[in-house]
Amino acid sequence: MPLEVVTDPAHGGRWTSLRTTAGREWLWHREAPEREGVSPGDAFVDAGGLEECVPTIRGTPDHGSAWPRPWTRVPDQVPGPALASGSAPDPERAEDQYVVRCDRFTLGRTIRRTGDGVAADYVLTADVGFRFVWAAHALLDLSDRARLRIRDRTRTRLFPEAAPLLARTWPAGAAWVEGDWPAPCGLRLDRFGPDDGTAVGAVVDAPGCCVHDGQDRLSTALEADGQPTSVALWRNLGGFPAGRPYRSTGVEPMLGRVFDLAEAGPGDAARVPASGEVRWRLTFSTNCRCA
């Protein structure tokens, strides 16, 4: 089943809708009128949808430097990545081509409909050696029965907010601990469940995943030759932010293996090669890919 996409180029290129032709809206939203007036360097304003977070998610700048900037439509096609799979973009099916220019990099994005979803081709241009983390920060509108399917025993990183939920003591000074999906360090993460006052972030070392919510399916896949791919999970069941918590559930394809670029070790972040650019492709599909 095809997917229809709506974006807001004037406000960070945010994806505001990812809807099936049968009417199933996958993106969650919340009222946040202050999102309209943000500037580079501002604290992140969570309005839901899918935000383009680069060159970091946590840390500085908060959720990166692309989300608070306007994106510019480009008349010519931003070419898709040359990937090992041999798949190539179809210029006749381009729907949404924009670019954002930040202090140290430029990011171009082309979104196309496919037979069973959508594909987004990206190209980031920067100085050779530039390191970054990117995430398609997708907050999904899911029931408490939704499940996240990823191959069992995939290595998964948990971050310090998970410490109170673990049976073990958090190692002093550790930026993360590791375990195996779906229950790293004994914490079950594949089920979203009802609100329980917790909020947990995790990064799973997988190039894609599949969300099952009732009869509906949404699968993701990320292709990026020579770069680290993963899936970030943000399972906020009414535990964040302090004082005025709300529920938000993020399933976020990403380049890199950490939320904060400052914590990235070798292999934990994407790096611009000698060509001066990094290319990748993100796909969403309504077909289940985890059977």
Side-chain angles (χ1 to χ4, degrees):
M1 182 183 300
L3 288 165
E4 298 175 347
V5 179
V6 179
T7 66
D8 185 357
H11 300 96
R14 185 168 69 104
W15 303 37
T16 57
S17 179
L18 183 64
R19 182 187 296 267
T20 69
T21 52
R24 206 294 191 192
E25 175 60 66
W26 281 102
L27 295 181
W28 169 88
H29 302 85
R30 64 186 289 268
E31 291 295 323
E34 64 273 28
R35 175 68 177 80
E36 299 291 311
V38 296
S39 299
D42 286 354
F44 183 65
V45 176
D46 185 6
L50 184 158
E51 298 276 14
E52 302 282 358
C53 295
V54 60
T56 192
I57 306 170
R58 298 180 182 179
T60 303
D62 188 6
H63 282 69
S65 53
W67 72 271
R69 286 180 161 87
W71 292 45
T72 304
R73 187 169 182 86
V74 291
D76 297 321
Q77 181 181 345
V78 177
L83 299 169
S85 64
S87 54
D90 180 357
E92 298 301 318
R93 306 187 73 179
E95 296 180 349
D96 184 314
Q97 303 175 54
Y98 286 88
V99 64
V100 61
R101 294 175 174 83
C102 300
D103 292 341
R104 297 190 59 195
F105 64 90
T106 297
L107 179 64
R109 181 188 70 194
T110 300
I111 299 176
R112 300 174 181 77
R113 294 180 65 178
T114 65
D116 62 353
V118 296
D121 288 322
Y122 294 84
V123 55
L124 182 142
T125 305
D127 291 341
V128 174
F130 177 71
R131 301 179 81 213
F132 66 95
V133 172
W134 164 86
H137 183 66
L139 296 178
L140 302 184
D141 189 1
L142 302 176
S143 74
D144 59 14
R145 299 179 303 279
R147 293 192 176 190
L148 183 61
R149 300 287 185 90
I150 299 173
R151 186 183 299 275
D152 284 354
R153 295 183 294 278
T154 300
R155 294 300 288 171
T156 302
R157 290 179 175 179
L158 295 174
F159 293 81
E161 64 272 14
L165 306 177
L166 304 183
R168 56 189 271 189
T169 301
W170 191 270
W176 63 77
V177 295
E178 290 193 356
D180 291 339
W181 183 268
C185 304
L187 179 61
R188 192 76 184 254
L189 292 179
D190 60 329
R191 302 173 183 176
F192 288 93
D195 290 358
D196 61 8
T198 66
V200 176
V203 175
V204 188
D205 190 11
C209 65
C210 189
V211 177
H212 290 213
D213 194 3
Q215 298 301 309
D216 297 324
R217 303 289 185 266
L218 184 69
S219 63
T220 75
L222 187 61
E223 300 174 80
D225 287 349
Q227 305 292 345
T229 58
S230 58
V231 176
L233 171 65
W234 173 240
R235 194 183 69 178
N236 174 20
L237 304 179
F240 179 88
R244 300 184 65 182
Y246 53 86
R247 180 187 180 96
S248 59
T249 48
V251 177
E252 309 175 20
M254 67 184 297
L255 295 180
R257 298 191 178 100
V258 291
F259 290 113
D260 189 344
L261 178 63
E263 296 177 344
D268 287 340
R271 182 185 293 273
V272 175
S275 64
E277 61 184 27
V278 176
R279 297 171 178 266
W280 65 95
R281 177 172 297 161
L282 167 66
T283 59
F284 288 102
S285 171
T286 55
N287 288 336
C288 179
R289 297 174 176 172
C290 62

